[in-house]
Amino acid sequence: MKKVLPIRTQIRIPPDLHARLVEEANKNESSLNDAMIFYIERGFHSAPHEDDFEKAVENIPTEILMMELASRMKGYTLTVMEKVDNKKAP
């Protein structure tokens, strides 16, 4: 049986995220690499299915969604238009 070697890669992460990963690795007496693998794998297992995400967003009040959108769009001009129903009445 052929031995499978792990793939070496490099990523750039924000300093605060690096610090959190180092802290978690030290707390669990593991390596930084092990901590990164653990959280990446956990993210894949806990990532919501697209349908679940849409249902979750539907349950968030519009005001909160709009505030979040506005905070992410600072510096941009945003035009809100009324939804138009293109279906013809019977």
Side-chain angles (χ1 to χ4, degrees):
M1 187 171 183
K2 196 174 190 179
K3 184 177 179 182
V4 178
L5 298 174
I7 296 172
R8 180 181 288 262
T9 188
Q10 290 183 322
I11 62 169
R12 292 182 181 91
I13 59 175
D16 58 324
L17 178 56
H18 179 265
R20 288 172 47 201
L21 287 165
V22 168
E23 183 180 322
E24 286 297 311
N26 290 336
K27 185 169 65 175
N28 295 307
E29 298 180 359
S30 65
S31 69
L32 176 59
N33 189 71
D34 288 344
M36 293 173 85
I37 291 171
F38 173 79
Y39 285 106
I40 290 170
E41 286 181 342
R42 189 171 89 170
F44 278 115
H45 294 296
S46 65
H49 185 271
E50 188 174 315
D51 293 337
D52 295 337
F53 178 77
E54 288 177 10
K55 288 176 187 171
V57 169
E58 288 174 0
N59 293 326
I60 300 173
T62 303
E63 297 82 22
I64 293 173
L65 289 172
M66 293 305 292
M67 287 178 9
E68 179 64 24
L69 178 62
S71 72
R72 292 180 183 216
M73 300 297 291
K74 285 187 179 172
Y76 292 90
T77 301
L78 183 65
T79 303
V80 179
M81 300 175 68
E82 185 177 332
K83 183 177 177 181
V84 177
D85 189 3
N86 291 331
K87 295 179 184 176
K88 294 181 180 179

